[in-house]
Amino acid sequence: MMSKHEKTYVTNANFMLHGGDYNPDQWLDRPDILADDIKLMKLSHTNTFSVGIFAWSALEPEEGVYNFEWLDEIIDNIHGIGGRVILATPSGARPTWLSQKYPEVLRVNGARVKQLHGGRHNHCFTSEVYREKTQTMNRLLAERYGNHPSLLMWHISNEYGGECHCDKCQSAFREWIKEKYNHDLKALNDAWWGPFWSHTITDWSQVESPSPIGENMVHGLNLDWRRFVTDQTISFYNNEIVPLRELTPNVPITTNFMADTHDLIPFQALDYSKFAKHLDVISWDAYPAWHNDWETTADLASKVGFINDLYRSLKQKPFLLMESTPSGVNWHNVNKAKRPGMHLLSSMQMISHGSDSVLYFQWRKSRGSSEKFHGAVVDHDNSSENRVFQEVAKVGQTLEKLTDVIGTNRPADVAVLYDWESNWALNDAQGFGLETKLYPQTLQKHYKAFWEKDIPVDVITKEQDFSSYKLLIVPMLYLVSEETISRLKTFVAGGGTLVMTYISGLVNEHDLTYLGGWHKDLQDIFGIKPTETDTLYPKDQNAVTFNGKSYVLKDYATLIEVDSANVEAVYEDDFYAETPAVTSHKYEAGKAYYIGGRLEHAFQQDFYQGLITELSLEPVASVKHGEGVSVQVRQAPDSDYLFVMNFTEEKQPIAFDYEVKDVVTGEKITGELTLEKYEVRIVEKTRTN
Ligand code: GLA
Ligand code: ZN
């Protein structure tokens, strides 16, 4: 078995990747600018460039007429300065001639409206023509550049997402459904609760994707459609990579994942837990709205931590930050510039959670179209002197000191479970508060209680192994299969501590409710039965008493019938005042807690502090600090790299009660020091175990 401190290299580069999306195809008639790019790359301490992402029309200006010479030169020039290339397949946006000649590549939306050419990320995933065209292009790229010494990895397409409802997709969906239900219509109607509103399916040809002008209330159908969309996207991706696997078996493959909204909840439309299995490396595009006017910098930082720990845990190895901005973006409501210091801090935060890169969108600001004001390394002034360029160069210089961090990991004793399917089903549920389900946001809050205490957390998905964790937190797991229930049971029986909350374990994998109150195994594990979920209006509130303190409750309160559990907290108000709100239960070698209500953050802090003590969960290194400072760790075989980050607008005193070495300055430190606003210190601490 691999030691938990073993390094895992996700690419063969012996430096932290720094650079990003480079779109020279927008500047081919400006050789002077292309020459400046190469000079500026060196000055900015960048070394890795993702090329070709949107270059299809430059590579194949007419069907079957190819022009790779310009790309040869770009790649050679990058190689000439010792840089590496992440080569993209260009399927994310297609040439106009292609849509014009082969309209089947255009999507049909849910309302069955055929889309026009334009935009990007909008092709049919089923179209044979598009699959063939992309595979042909990818083969040519692999043949031409597969042995180029600068080729680091493949970047497949760009931010896959969306869905198509064309006839080809309908046929593919019907086949997928037939297969899934073993050609048995009864099984399909059982799963989709057919007789409801007389929606029984009597012939496979009646199966249609959900539509705002048709069927959208059959939850089993909605869920299966979303699963199909994920599978069809993966199938398209797998078709793209055939020539790459064949011709470049040793070149790792990734595609860039996303987050939804500047709140950084996981991307909703695709089940990344399935997609991850087909990638060699996880990479993602992070655009947090730093300095916003609705939350503290530390609140946002903890959300960034959450999603990084989710995407890292998909493969339990380092990942890549594929895109980020050196300053503002162009698509938030307000596109604020990163304040001095924030770029280094936010970049180091990504490294601290397991990224082996800091890559940007984009290298040089476009001159026209919608991204001409998006932050970039090189601005319209073409200068290496401006503030943003200098801050990028500083990140580069810092990354150059972090070579020993490459490949290191972050073992954790605590896991929070995130599930895409459960979120889909919960969002579909007509019930509870339609505006207040907030599943990902709820998980962010549970996670935060550990982030505040510098205790590493994995954010895992349901098929991952639970057994290595001491504590598994499963908030709002609305949809849960019998199989997962049985794995949760094994986890607790084997000595694990499990925390579950309101709105958990209500439906199975077909979105059909469990009969008999709650699943028998869950009743056994928790020694309770939830009987009703009360939903509160936004202005309503209740409270619970826990260990003699009162905590505000909003949105949800589950009424609980206790069998063999201990009552840890009771509701204070309403017709269920004095009844159990939080319970604990010893089950075989482990323990299971149930939290019945949505409680203010102070409850999470105090409740989890109890478990931290009970289970001896240690912060990875004790660094004394106040609120808003976060310490994250990358663990090498013999030492810990601590990233001490000030996510506040004030100076913050911190203290180490052991000796550490500042990785950037080489200075030895013990005792107290002060972090300036947004300052980050990266220190190495020798580990003896
Ligand atoms: C996405 C895309 C990029 C670019 C950025 C802008 O992440 O992948 O091509 O449009 O957004 O933030
Ligand atoms: Zn289609």
Side-chain angles (χ1 to χ4, degrees), residues 73-89:
E73 211 177 309
I74 294 289
I75 294 181
D76 287 345
N77 289 343
I78 292 172
H79 181 56
I81 53 165
R84 301 295 299 270
V85 165
I86 298 178
L87 186 54
T89 68

Side-chain angles (χ1 to χ4, degrees), residues 37-39 41-42 46-47 49 76-83:
D37 283 337
I38 295 295
K39 285 184 215 142
M41 284 170 182
K42 289 172 83 173
T46 49
N47 53 40
F49 300 91
D76 287 345
N77 289 343
I78 292 172
H79 181 56
I81 53 165

Side-chain angles (χ1 to χ4, degrees), residues 257 266 271-279 281-284 307-319 418 420 458-464 469:
F257 284 175
D271 184 344
Y272 282 163
S273 69
K274 276 190 181 172
F275 208 156
K277 299 196 173 77
H278 300 263
L279 310 181
V281 186
I282 300 294
S283 66
W284 81 283
I307 191 156
N308 274 322
D309 285 334
L310 170 64
Y311 290 171
R312 176 185 51 78
S313 301
L314 288 172
K315 282 204 177 289
Q316 295 291 357
K317 57 184 192 187
F319 62 92
Y418 182 82
W420 269 268
D458 283 351
V459 182
I460 61 168
T461 54
K462 59 180 178 294
E463 56 305 302
Q464 288 176 257
Y469 300 104

Side-chain angles (χ1 to χ4, degrees), residues 54 120 158-159 256 285 287 323 330-331 361 371 374:
F54 299 113
R120 59 174 177 172
N158 192 59
E159 297 192 334
N256 45 342
D285 302 344
Y287 293 103
E323 291 180 26
N330 67 328
W331 52 270
F361 178 87
E371 290 179 333
H374 192 290

Side-chain angles (χ1 to χ4, degrees), residues 94 98-99 102-107 122-124 127 129-130:
R94 49 183 187 281
L98 203 157
S99 310
Y102 304 102
E104 70 164 68
V105 306
L106 298 168
R107 271 186 198 168
N122 53 10
H123 58 269
C124 169
S127 159
V129 168
Y130 205 54

Side-chain angles (χ1 to χ4, degrees), residues 104 106-108 124-127 164-169:
E104 70 164 68
L106 298 168
R107 271 186 198 168
V108 171
C124 169
F125 285 116
T126 308
S127 159
C164 175
H165 299 255
C166 76
D167 291 345
K168 286 175 186 297
C169 288

